[in-house]
Structure formats: structure tokens, C-alpha cells
Amino acid sequence: MSSHHALIWLDHRSAYVIHLDRETESITSVVSHHGKEHLHHKADAVGDGNIKPHADYFRDVLAAIGDSTEIILTGPADAKTEFLKFTEQHQPALAKCIVKVKTLDRITTGELIDHARHFFSMLKPRLGPHHQAQ
């Protein structure tokens, strides 16, 4: 199911994409190819020392979004920010559909649906994209 509204919750290991309309919702889960393995950076290597999630994972999340036109991006810590930057680079038109970015720890899917319904009921018609971090 693809719909006008989508809420994404993601961390570096998994993502949930919730599509909503007035009466129904559907949830798609996407799992990172990294799984739960603990990744270490090699000493004396070039870079900041942090292992980034595979681009394939973010591409899978983008595919799960479909043609939603209003998207709320949630999750803990840095994954949502990295996903936003990836989306801005690889699908700028879709990045403009992200109307809110919010820090949200892992919660149940029922709670995610409640948050999505609340967030979208609070949105007024958009004049343009606005990225709000909370």
C-alpha cells in the first residue's frame, strides 16, 4: 500500500515505513544487511572511524516509501539524519516531501501508528518543505 502520508522510523539496523490514509494503515519493515553485527574500524585507516550503514539499506527504505507526498522521519540518534542526507543526495524530490524530522526511541508499532495519526492531524497544508528537528 502506498498513500499520501508515511511515517518512517529507522535506526541503523531496521526501519518501519507506515503508510496511512483515513481508515487504514500498512507497515513495511526493512532490515539492514549489517544486521546486529558489531563493526569495528581498522586502526590507522583514513576516515572518521565510524562505519556507516550500507547505501543498499537506505535504498531499500526509499523503495518502501513509494509515492508518499508527506513524510515524517523518526528514529533515535544519527540514523535519521544520515538517511535524510542520503535522500537529499539521491532523491531530492522525495527529500522535499519530508515535512518533519523527530527523535523518537524504539516503540511498538501500535504506538508508531498513533504517533503518525497525531503528527499528520497536526499538519496544515504545506507551502513548502520544512525540516524540523526536535
Side-chain angles (χ1 to χ4, degrees), residues 20-122:
L20 298 144
D21 62 27
R22 289 187 179 179
E23 290 95 29
T24 62
E25 63 274 329
S26 70
I27 302 172
T28 303
S29 61
V30 179
V31 178
S32 170
H33 302 292
H34 278 297
K36 293 185 177 184
E37 63 194 44
H38 187 73
L39 301 175
H40 294 279
H41 181 70
K42 185 177 178 182
D44 300 322
V46 177
D48 65 4
N50 295 317
I51 303 295
K52 304 292 188 238
H54 286 280
D56 290 343
Y57 168 54
F58 284 164
R59 283 189 194 97
D60 290 346
V61 175
L62 288 172
I65 294 169
D67 58 359
S68 295
T69 57
E70 290 188 318
I71 302 165
I72 296 172
L73 178 59
T74 68
D78 298 326
K80 66 185 175 304
T81 305
E82 292 168 10
F83 178 77
L84 178 60
K85 288 178 185 176
F86 182 88
T87 304
E88 289 170 339
Q89 284 183 323
H90 297 278
Q91 290 196 18
L94 186 63
K96 291 178 182 178
C97 295
I98 298 174
V99 296
K100 187 172 187 78
V101 178
K102 181 172 176 60
T103 299
L104 192 62
D105 289 328
R106 183 175 288 275
I107 58 177
T108 68
T109 54
E111 290 171 319
L112 281 174
I113 291 167
D114 290 345
H115 277 284
R117 292 214 178 274
H118 175 75
F119 290 150
F120 286 116
S121 72
M122 300 296 288

